[in-house]
Amino acid sequence: MLLIGSFASLYLFMRGRDESAAQQQVVDSITAYEDENYERVIELLEDTTTNTNTLRVTAGDSAAMWRYVVARREVEMRNNEHFARLFPALRQVVALDPGNLEAGMMLLELLMGLDRNTEALDTVTRLITAHPDEIDLLRFRYALHMRVNQESEALKDALAAAENEPLDVRTQMDVATLLQQLNGDPEPFHQRAVELLETHPDDPRAEVILARAWILKGHIFEAQQLLESASNRDAPDEDFVRVLVDSLDRLNRFEDSYAYLRRSVGPGLDNTLAYEVYFRDFEAEN
């Protein structure tokens, strides 16, 4: 009995020492993370003694898991293996802490990239419950609904997103596209666009949104006038430029859209617009 008791005492001592060491590793990972020493974070938290990609993290410690996810994302591996390694931990972070919006958005992007549409829809719905006013989550969900041919559900989310951010031209164009696909009544969209321009008479985004509403109703002349006015104002951002170019293209005003696109390339706007000019030049020459 004395021998058994000695072994039990030794086991408990060793177990306690291992747990203390593991806790210290987690504490040290906080310092390494704050110093942006991501290689050290991985060294402290990633268990390389097995082939199961386990972590030296207490179950339920979403903060430590998130530190590992960020560090593993920053320290890239060949063939994108770092994403495969961080994926299980990222899932746990979002399940444990849906309030971590950055983690949720990262998981959604990975799930959509992997075509895991059902899991992505479940995930984004849980995240919307935690972040009901986050427009990017609504965009994710209506993009997913469109991907699985649920246009009616997509339209509901697009309308909710547009209501939250009425001057967001990209979202408003998505609403218009879905209305067109569903053969929906364009009049409510047009009426909201009229009221938006009345509220923001000097905003070119409101002009472009109303122009699209006129296009939906088949009123080309009114749309052209608004687009011409909008194109003579300063572009708020690159999304606006792309939407205006697309609207002109819909009216077969290709020369005007190309000229506007070329004018828009420069300081203050996304340089990816220059690539679109190059692509159009390439198409014209070939």
Side-chain angles (χ1 to χ4, degrees):
M1 292 293 293
L2 182 61
L3 184 61
I4 293 173
S6 297
F7 275 122
S9 297
L10 179 61
Y11 169 76
L12 291 174
F13 169 76
M14 295 295 291
R15 180 179 176 181
R17 189 179 67 175
D18 289 344
E19 288 178 352
S20 297
Q23 290 171 357
Q24 186 59 48
Q25 285 177 320
V26 171
V27 172
D28 291 344
S29 76
I30 297 174
T31 302
Y33 182 81
E34 291 173 347
D35 292 339
E36 297 185 3
N37 186 351
Y38 298 124
E39 290 87 353
R40 179 61 176 158
V41 174
I42 293 169
E43 179 185 335
L44 289 165
L45 297 182
E46 191 173 77
D47 187 353
T48 58
T49 62
T50 68
N51 294 322
T52 57
N53 190 30
T54 56
L55 300 180
R56 302 186 186 97
V57 175
T58 304
D61 189 348
S62 63
M65 292 178 191
W66 177 238
R67 289 194 295 276
Y68 169 76
V69 167
V70 173
R72 186 72 279 176
R73 179 190 62 190
E74 296 299 320
V75 181
E76 297 182 359
M77 303 174 70
R78 281 192 295 180
N79 300 321
N80 288 326
E81 186 183 342
H82 52 291
F83 285 118
R85 292 200 181 190
L86 68 82
F87 190 57
L90 180 58
R91 270 176 162 163
Q92 292 185 64
V93 170
V94 175
L96 291 167
D97 182 16
N100 187 335
L101 183 59
E102 185 180 355
M105 297 296 281
M106 188 191 304
L107 180 59
L108 286 173
E109 288 174 359
L110 286 174
L111 290 171
M112 288 185 74
L114 295 169
D115 287 330
R116 299 190 182 185
N117 299 324
T118 300
E119 183 179 352
L121 273 170
D122 291 342
T123 300
V124 74
T125 298
R126 285 190 285 109
L127 288 168
I128 287 173
T129 300
H131 308 274
D133 297 324
E134 184 55 51
I135 189 171
D136 284 337
L137 292 174
L138 289 169
R139 284 199 191 111
F140 259 112
R141 191 163 70 176
Y142 72 66
L144 281 162
H145 281 308
M146 290 175 70
R147 180 180 283 193
V148 297
N149 299 317
Q150 296 175 346
E151 286 84 0
S152 295
E153 295 301 315
L155 180 57
K156 292 177 186 177
D157 282 336
L159 286 168
E163 185 176 354
N164 283 346
E165 296 285 348
L167 286 170
D168 187 299
V169 290
R170 182 156 55 100
T171 300
Q172 294 283 15
M173 295 307 107
D174 288 337
V175 170
T177 298
L178 286 163
L179 281 171
Q180 194 169 19
Q181 290 178 354
L182 293 167
N183 294 318
D185 180 7
E187 186 53 38
F189 180 75
H190 176 262
Q191 187 56 43
R192 288 193 299 271
V194 169
E195 293 169 0
L196 188 64
L197 185 57
E198 289 174 350
T199 306
H200 305 276
D202 298 320
D203 196 314
R205 294 171 296 181
E207 289 181 314
V208 167
I209 292 165
L210 181 54
R212 185 62 184 275
W214 279 123
I215 292 172
L216 280 178
K217 296 185 70 173
H219 292 238
I220 305 305
F221 177 74
E222 290 85 347
Q224 288 178 333
Q225 286 187 311
L226 285 163
L227 293 175
E228 183 174 349
S229 174
S231 67
N232 289 319
R233 300 179 188 269
D234 291 336
D237 53 41
E238 60 271 14
D239 276 345
F240 173 84
V241 174
R242 292 189 178 92
V243 166
L244 197 151
V245 167
D246 176 69
S247 299
L248 288 169
D249 286 344
R250 288 173 183 273
L251 300 179
N252 297 321
R253 300 274 297 273
F254 300 113
E255 291 185 4
D256 291 338
S257 70
Y258 175 74
Y260 177 73
L261 183 59
R262 285 195 68 89
R263 291 202 313 271
S264 300
V265 174
L269 288 177
D270 194 332
N271 285 332
T272 57
L273 293 172
Y275 174 79
E276 295 183 30
V277 172
Y278 168 80
F279 183 74
R280 289 204 177 198
D281 287 343
F282 178 81
E283 280 191 322
E285 293 171 2
N286 293 278

